């Protein structure tokens, strides 16, 4: 049975028997009214069953399939209510953004990307056991644009999501996704801001994936990443923008 996955009104894709399916594979099998549950960083949102009807290609973005929901589903991950497994077997725990150890981790990490001097601005930080091995990882998002989101980037600007994980007993930084601005003489695309929307087991294997929402002044996209052999792999993505 296909389990659909959506973000806002966009159909991300789905899973079937542990296999990832693209949106164009999922859309044709959705019939009539469909039940979804909303999933966030605190787990499944209780009493929040959102019914939808399969939509068509989204007008502004013809390559994107949409779901017509009966209740608002803005900036929210939803999963088919027909999923038979625990979508959030382990809940994320928020960490204070003022944590000095995490700030040092980020500062040291940014140096490896060519940014030695900048403001350290963590926008999210969580402790979570992604793979169920009893060992918590630290998941962090950082976004800093000196001149703001709608201005030209400045040297030292950045946007990233980073995982801090012990590998063979030693802490290791694993980049989920990011961009780092180090040169004035390079023309860049508009600044993007990243946020962690959910951490959930979306394919039923007991390990949890990370769902990112990335946006800029004229568009947005949602991406699902899974961790395999200490590397993040992009498994599903939907985007819409100018």
């Amino acid at each position: 049975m296909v389990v659909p996955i959506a973000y806002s009104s966009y159909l991300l894709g789905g899973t079937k028997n542990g296999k990832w399916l693209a949106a164009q594979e999922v859309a044709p099998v959705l019939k009539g009214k469909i039940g979804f549950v909303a999933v966030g960083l605190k787990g499944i949102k209780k009493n929040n069953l959102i019914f939808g009807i399969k939509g068509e290609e989204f007008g502004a973005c013809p390559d994107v399939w949409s779901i017509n929901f009966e209740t608002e589903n803005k900036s929210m991950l939803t999963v088919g209510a027909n999923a038979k497994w625990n979508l959030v077997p382990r809940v994320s725990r928020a960490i204070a953004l003022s944590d000095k150890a995490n700030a040092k981790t980020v500062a040291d990490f940014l140096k490896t990307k060519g940014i030695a001097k900048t403001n350290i601005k963590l926008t999210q930080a969580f402790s979570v056991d992604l793979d169920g091995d009893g060992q918590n990882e630290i998941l962090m998002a950082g976004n800093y644009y000196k001149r703001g989101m709608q201005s030209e980037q400045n040297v030292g600007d950045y946007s990233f999501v980073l995982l801090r994980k012990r590998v063979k007993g030693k802490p290791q930084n694993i980049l989920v996704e990011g961009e780092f601005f180090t040169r004035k003489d390079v023309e860049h695309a508009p600044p993007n801001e990243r946020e962690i929307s959910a951490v959930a087991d979306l394919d039923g294997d007991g390990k949890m994936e990370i769902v990112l929402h990335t946006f800029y002044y004229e568009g947005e996209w949602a991406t699902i990443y899974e961790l395999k052999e200490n590397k993040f792999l992009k498994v599903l993505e939907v985007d819409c923008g100018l």
Side-chain angles (χ1 to χ4, degrees):
M1 182 179 295
V2 173
V3 177
I5 303 171
Y7 193 91
S8 293
S9 61
Y10 308 129
L11 179 63
L12 258 166
T15 60
K16 182 179 181 181
N17 299 326
K19 178 184 176 182
W20 298 104
L21 301 174
Q24 60 265 31
E25 298 176 277
V26 175
V29 304
L30 301 181
K31 306 294 183 181
K33 189 172 287 190
I34 311 154
F36 287 83
V37 291
V39 182
L41 287 166
K42 295 182 180 180
I44 296 173
K45 299 193 175 184
K46 294 182 178 179
N47 303 320
N48 195 352
L49 188 62
I50 303 175
F51 289 93
I53 299 174
K54 184 189 75 173
E56 301 297 335
E57 289 90 341
F58 190 62
C61 303
D63 296 329
V64 174
W65 283 87
S66 65
I67 296 285
N68 299 320
F69 286 104
E70 291 186 357
T71 58
E72 188 177 19
N73 183 33
K74 187 176 181 180
S75 297
M76 185 183 297
L77 178 75
T78 49
V79 181
N82 58 335
K84 302 302 182 184
W85 63 90
N86 186 353
L87 290 167
V88 187
R90 297 168 297 281
V91 178
S92 306
R93 180 179 60 84
I95 300 174
L97 298 179
S98 59
D99 185 277
K100 293 182 178 179
N102 287 341
K104 184 179 186 308
T105 293
V106 170
D108 291 343
F109 170 73
L110 289 174
K111 288 177 184 177
T112 70
K113 297 298 182 181
I115 299 177
K117 293 182 179 180
T118 190
N119 284 357
I120 304 302
K121 186 178 178 183
L122 276 174
T123 49
Q124 292 175 295
F126 302 95
S127 174
V128 60
D129 180 1
L130 286 179
D131 51 16
D133 64 355
Q135 177 176 282
N136 277 13
E137 288 80 42
I138 296 176
L139 188 59
M140 296 176 281
N143 294 278
Y144 175 68
Y145 291 103
K146 184 177 181 179
R147 303 181 192 179
M149 281 287 290
Q150 297 191 32
S151 300
E152 185 179 342
Q153 296 92 334
N154 194 69
V155 171
D157 289 354
Y158 56 82
S159 174
F160 68 85
V161 175
L162 183 71
L163 184 76
R164 181 80 164 169
K165 175 181 173 64
R166 284 196 169 272
V167 179
K168 296 181 179 179
K170 295 182 179 180
Q172 180 176 323
N173 295 325
I174 305 173
L175 181 65
V176 184
E177 183 181 287
E179 51 193 329
F180 310 89
F181 302 99
T182 60
R183 293 175 56 184
K184 293 182 179 179
D185 59 339
V186 176
E187 184 176 347
H188 298 289
N192 300 309
E193 184 160 341
R194 291 167 171 82
E195 64 180 12
I196 306 157
S197 290
V199 181
D201 177 11
L202 299 175
D203 62 352
D205 67 352
K207 299 179 181 179
M208 297 198 291
E209 287 74 44
I210 295 171
V211 183
L212 302 188
H213 176 220
T214 308
F215 53 93
Y216 68 110
Y217 72 100
E218 286 186 322
E220 64 177 339
W221 61 96
T223 313
I224 298 175
Y225 285 94
E226 68 176 354
L227 184 64
K228 282 199 171 182
E229 297 180 353
N230 298 317
K231 292 182 180 179
F232 279 102
L233 302 177
K234 183 188 298 184
V235 293
L236 291 176
E237 185 173 52
V238 63
D239 64 270
C240 185
L242 299 180

